[in-house]
Amino acid sequence: MGEFPRGLSAFSLEGKKALVTGGNRGLGYAFTRALADCGATVAFVGRGGAANEAATGRLAGDGIDAYGISADLTVDDDVDRAVDAAVEALGGLDIVVNNAGICFHNPAWDATDDQWRQVFDLNVRAVWKVSLATGRHLRAAGGGAIVNIGSISGLIVNRPQAQAPYNASKAAVHQLTKSLAAEWAPHHIRVNAVAPGYVKTEMAPVDRPELRRMWIEDAPQQRYAMPEEIAPTVVYLCSPAAAFVTGAVLVIDGGYTVY
Ligand code: NDP
């Protein structure tokens, strides 16, 4: 091992090649932009061609040349095609952020088989399939970093809304993170997760008055986060600064889970 980088250079992603799933909006968009801001070349995946184009346009406005890939990660062929496209566009791969996810709010009695399938196909199975497909490239390249987006929902049960399949899926993401971290450490692949609290995106209606008491006022900081506040932690986990960090689930929730 050479000399450990000093100061801010420990957080630099200069020369790294990164793939973010679900990068056309919300948290994934913030992750894509932050990774690029810190030196990485970036590709992202989303199903919507128009949404992907809009995102590449917004990123171009910030001077970021991102490569958008249209793919549905619940379809195995799409996973392989998306990963191949990213590797070809970027000329390799060092960083993978498994961010794409979906959630339904309804009591367990009313949750349909199809909702369960959609949640587990994307939140868990796609993380597994993308990790395997990209992990082979990282292993061949001598190592890399994977960050999975878990949730406080993998640690606590959210209130007042019921979302049992989602909560179970995020607990699975946390344990899959630890399992792959253990298996892939000999290949110099670090696998970590972040577990955000409430963040303002299309998925989380943080401004709804009926949710305010339990989503906002119950948290020590008494607020939700913006996606940009979660992104630096993802950058950190991908960077040399986190060289000794693997199998971690880093909670970023304004203190929500302390109670
Ligand atoms: P959004 O709904 O805003 O974004 C979801 C992203 O995933 C979009 O880019 C969407 O693009 C993409 N996506 C959805 N389905 C698929 C699919 N089948 N294949 C490929 N891409 C897909 O969600 P958030 O930004 O809020 O959430 C991002 C992650 O963060 C999720 O894993 C979520 O569980 C997690 N999280 C969110 C929290 C929050 O409060 N917002 C809190 C804790 C965790 P498209 O529709 O074009 O495919």
Side-chain angles (χ1 to χ4, degrees):
M1 196 173 158
E3 198 180 325
F4 199 75
R6 291 178 56 191
L8 283 178
S9 67
F11 298 88
S12 170
L13 302 179
E14 213 59 55
K16 300 295 182 193
K17 294 148 185 165
L19 174 65
V20 179
T21 71
N24 63 24
R25 66 167 190 260
L27 281 158
Y29 179 85
F31 300 154
T32 304
R33 191 170 66 174
L35 292 168
D37 283 341
C38 294
T41 49
V42 288
F44 67 85
V45 181
R47 286 167 304 177
N52 289 353
E53 263 179 50
T56 46
R58 279 173 69 200
L59 290 163
D62 283 335
I64 294 165
D65 184 17
Y67 185 72
I69 301 164
S70 293
D72 181 343
L73 296 172
T74 64
V75 177
D76 289 354
D77 287 349
D78 273 27
V79 170
D80 292 336
R81 182 175 56 75
V83 171
D84 288 349
V87 169
E88 194 179 326
L90 302 175
L93 208 52
D94 306 289
I95 291 167
V96 180
V97 181
N98 280 308
N99 162 77
I102 190 174
C103 181
F104 295 99
H105 292 174
N106 52 20
W109 307 117
D110 302 332
T112 63
D113 285 351
D114 187 55
Q115 287 174 342
W116 175 276
R117 186 189 53 72
Q118 284 186 58
V119 166
F120 268 78
D121 277 2
L122 184 61
N123 295 13
V124 184
R125 191 167 185 277
V127 172
W128 167 246
K129 297 298 282 187
V130 171
S131 297
L132 285 172
T134 55
R136 295 183 210 288
H137 289 280
L138 303 183
R139 182 180 58 181
I146 297 176
V147 178
N148 298 325
I149 309 308
S151 172
I152 57 167
S153 308
L155 305 167
I156 53 98
V157 174
N158 305 70
R159 298 177 300 163
Q161 80 280 15
Q163 47 179 49
Y166 179 85
N167 297 347
S169 78
K170 290 300 181 180
V173 168
H174 295 175
Q175 191 64 355
L176 180 58
T177 299
K178 294 180 189 187
S179 305
L180 293 181
E183 268 196 60
W184 292 355
H187 302 294
H188 308 290
I189 300 170
R190 296 184 299 102
V191 188
N192 291 291
V194 295
Y198 290 108
V199 186
K200 188 179 172 74
T201 67
E202 275 186 35
M203 180 189 279
V206 291
D207 290 320
R208 291 229 310 253
E210 72 274 23
L211 300 175
R212 183 171 172 80
R213 226 286 284 133
M214 286 179 174
W215 283 28
I216 307 301
E217 291 172 16
D218 268 0
Q221 286 195 352
Q222 303 227 320
R223 67 179 184 91
Y224 56 76
M226 296 305 288
E228 294 71 26
E229 297 181 87
I230 312 299
T233 303
V234 172
V235 168
Y236 158 67
L237 289 171
C238 296
S239 75
F244 200 48
V245 184
T246 199
V249 178
L250 238 160
V251 178
I252 317 166
D253 67 350
Y256 195 92
T257 50
V258 300
Y259 297 130

